[in-house]
Amino acid sequence: MQVLSVTPEIFPLVKTGGLADVAGALPVALAGKGVAMRSLVPGYPVVMEALKKKKAAATYQALYGGKATVQAAQVEGLDLLVLDAPHLFDRVGGPYGDSNGRDWPDNWRRFAALSRVGGDIAGGSIAGYKPDIVHAHDWQAAMTLAYMRYGKAVGTPSLITVHNLAFQGQFGAGIFGELGLPAEAMSLDGVEYYGGVGYLKAGLQAAWAITTVSPTYAQEIRVPEFGMGLDGLINLRAGDLHGIVNGIDVDIWNPATDQHLVSTYSAETLTKRAANRAAVEERFNLAKDDSPIICVVSRLTWQKGIDILAAMADGIVAAGARLAVLGSGDPGLEGALLAAAARHRGRIGTVIGYDEALSHLMQGGCDAIIIPSRFEPCGLTQLYGLRYGCVPMVARTGGLADTIIDANEAAVAAGVATGFQFAANSGDALLHAVHRLMQAHGNAADWTSIQRQGMKADVSWDRSAGKYVELYRSLLARKVA
């Protein structure tokens, strides 16, 4: 089975969040299940630099303002098709904006180009290659399905994975004339969305199937609180909606072999985590004692509930725990966490920024990781926590609720608990979970049981990849029928 994945990010080449991890790990996981996945990605500078050997597979003399080439290459075990369009992607900054965090004003054009090329490839524009299925990720690739619907690939099965419904790609109606779509596409049944053009909405409308990255999130987005204005459309498509929990790359995230750790370990050698713990204390200027270290590895945003965490920082310290924070985002939240660290020297440490190596060390050395998100489609950091014996403390929402078994009295007694859940959007509930964690941490047998049970959890892509294969096959069966 040949599947074309269209994605704006792919690990290990370019990453701003969990989408990249999924786009990079899924092709590898599917390869052992009879699915060959090629990934179409933008030719950002970091991507182009990674192409040691490439071959032109298609050429555009004029693609939204300039010449472009689709380059075929193999990188890090991934089969890539790279859209080399310097006028759109050769820029200093991130994938979506400049180094100051401001979005590129022509993002509508950049990702229309990616989607247009995805639609062309689906229709057979590359000699010798025509995918059986097209799998698009998030709003940046969603228009691929619109170009297929109104083009040569109208009969090719497709699906879209929504990693976060909050990001929708909404633009003014004035861009429609430049998209190259027929006039009838500018309709409620097409790409029109509240008088403008909605990229994600267009993909949700055109896709044969819709997936989210957890079963709970698939249900949550059907109600206004989480539907972000699209719950009506999603409910109309409810029969085609599926929730499949993400996995992680268990070779990269493996405490027994992780070179980012000071000391590697396994579920049977948890005492070796002590060296990593000492390194975390050193890096975050934390006092050296036996109290649990709770870590945060996150974008510092409202969605992630970081304002709730910041408001409870004093209470976390009063409960007896220490806090290590790594992340960046909203300047106000960055300032609040830095201020908390200044108030509680030795008890709270804050590092502003993104540091992949440090995030591994924190999972390998901290006692727990807290994720207080208001909504969370899946979440990956709690899966890393399970893998590393860094006990997850999670808000009861989305994929967090689906992946963590709460350490209530019955679950602890049965030996199945893997972490702590608490009500989302509640500082009191978060603080209560900290007190529960402190109590469990004080019982060495219970704490070790929770750690080891979490480390036994299957967080790999194997099961999830199998569910994608089942979905792909069901779409192919619909095509034949």
Side-chain angles (χ1 to χ4, degrees):
M1 187 189 308
Q2 299 286 334
V3 178
L4 173 67
S5 170
V6 185
T7 176
E9 303 177 27
I10 192 165
F11 184 83
L13 300 183
V14 57
K15 172 182 174 178
T16 67
L19 184 159
D21 292 306
V22 174
L26 187 55
V28 177
L30 291 171
K33 300 182 181 298
V35 176
M37 177 174 276
R38 301 185 83 174
S39 300
L40 173 66
V41 298
Y44 309 118
V46 67
V47 174
M48 297 308 300
E49 289 169 10
L51 305 186
K52 305 306 180 187
K53 293 183 179 180
K54 59 184 185 291
K55 181 180 180 181
T59 300
Y60 291 80
Q61 294 302 319
L63 181 68
Y64 295 97
K67 186 175 180 180
T69 306
V70 178
Q71 301 285 354
Q74 302 281 332
V75 180
E76 300 281 349
L78 298 170
D79 187 0
L80 299 181
L81 294 169
V82 178
L83 178 55
D84 182 13
H87 62 293
L88 298 174
F89 302 116
D90 186 8
R91 302 177 183 183
V92 177
Y96 315 120
D98 62 24
S99 54
N100 294 316
R102 293 172 299 209
D103 286 350
W104 300 116
D106 62 344
N107 273 344
W108 69 268
R109 180 183 288 111
R110 300 169 77 227
F111 296 105
L114 178 70
S115 296
R116 172 67 178 272
V117 172
D120 290 346
I121 294 171
S125 65
I126 293 179
Y129 178 69
K130 195 171 188 299
D132 299 305
I133 292 174
V134 174
H135 187 162
H137 294 269
D138 269 357
W139 75 263
Q140 298 94 331
M143 286 287 283
T144 300
L145 310 188
Y147 284 110
M148 291 171 62
R149 178 184 178 188
Y150 296 104
K152 294 180 181 179
V154 62
T156 300
S158 64
L159 71 154
I160 184 167
T161 294
V162 179
H163 297 267
N164 192 334
L165 196 68
F167 303 106
Q168 299 183 4
Q170 297 180 40
F171 304 100
I175 73 167
F176 180 76
E178 299 187 54
L179 294 178
L181 291 168
E184 62 263 30
M186 190 59 178
S187 64
L188 184 61
D189 184 50
V191 306
E192 188 273 333
Y193 186 53
Y194 289 106
V197 176
Y199 281 30
L200 182 60
K201 182 265 185 182
L204 294 173
Q205 193 83 52
W208 288 34
I210 300 165
T211 68
T212 68
V213 287
S214 73
T216 294
Y217 190 61
Q219 295 307 308
E220 287 177 341
I221 62 175
R222 296 182 62 184
V223 301
E225 181 183 359
F226 296 100
M228 306 292 175
L230 288 167
D231 48 288
L233 173 57
I234 289 166
N235 277 300
L236 286 174
R237 301 296 316 276
D240 299 312
L241 179 63
H242 308 265
I244 302 175
V245 172
N246 286 337
I248 63 173
D249 189 322
V250 293
D251 293 325
I252 293 174
W253 291 91
N254 183 354
T257 60
D258 193 335
Q259 295 304 303
H260 297 306
L261 303 182
V262 174
S263 174
T264 55
Y265 61 94
S266 68
E268 287 69 43
T269 58
L270 286 171
T271 55
K272 292 184 177 181
R273 297 181 91 251
N276 301 318
R277 179 188 174 95
V280 170
E281 290 171 336
E282 186 74 22
R283 180 67 179 85
F284 287 87
N285 296 313
L286 296 176
K288 296 174 175 57
D289 59 42
D290 294 330
S291 63
I293 303 173
I294 300 172
C295 70
V296 177
V297 181
S298 177
R299 296 196 307 276
L300 306 182
T301 65
W302 178 89
Q303 181 220 317
K304 297 294 185 180
I306 302 302
D307 57 316
I308 301 170
L309 177 80
M312 293 295 109
D314 296 346
I316 291 171
V317 171
R322 292 171 290 168
L323 193 62
V325 180
L326 171 64
S328 62
D330 182 275
L333 296 178
E334 292 179 358
L337 291 167
L338 289 168
R343 286 197 308 275
H344 300 285
R345 297 188 186 278
R347 306 306 297 175
I348 297 178
T350 298
V351 173
I352 300 300
Y354 172 76
D355 188 326
E356 185 78 11
L358 181 56
S359 72
H360 282 246
L361 178 64
M362 293 168 75
Q363 295 279 14
C366 295
D367 300 280
I369 182 165
I370 190 164
I371 307 159
S373 303
R374 284 183 166 85
F375 62 94
E376 192 63 66
C378 179
L380 294 176
T381 51
Q382 85 277 12
L383 302 182
Y384 303 147
L386 290 173
R387 180 81 165 142
Y388 279 61
C390 184
V391 176
M393 305 174 64
V394 303
R396 195 177 300 111
T397 185
L400 302 177
D402 287 330
T403 54
I404 303 303
I405 299 173
D406 182 67
N408 56 60
E409 186 175 346
V412 172
V416 297
T418 61
F420 297 84
Q421 292 189 11
F422 55 91
N425 202 23
S426 169
D428 289 341
L430 183 155
L431 201 54
H432 180 60
V434 172
H435 284 283
R436 292 174 59 211
L437 176 137
M438 293 297 298
Q439 183 176 5
H441 190 262
N443 184 316
D446 285 351
W447 188 257
T448 301
S449 172
I450 294 170
Q451 286 181 296
R452 287 180 172 161
Q453 190 65 23
M455 294 179 79
K456 283 167 52 180
D458 182 6
V459 295
S460 74
W461 266 104
D462 186 65
R463 184 184 305 172
S464 298
K467 291 185 177 181
Y468 275 111
V469 173
E470 291 176 10
L471 180 55
Y472 293 156
R473 287 176 177 160
S474 71
L475 295 179
L476 287 175
R478 280 172 54 185
K479 179 182 179 181
V480 172

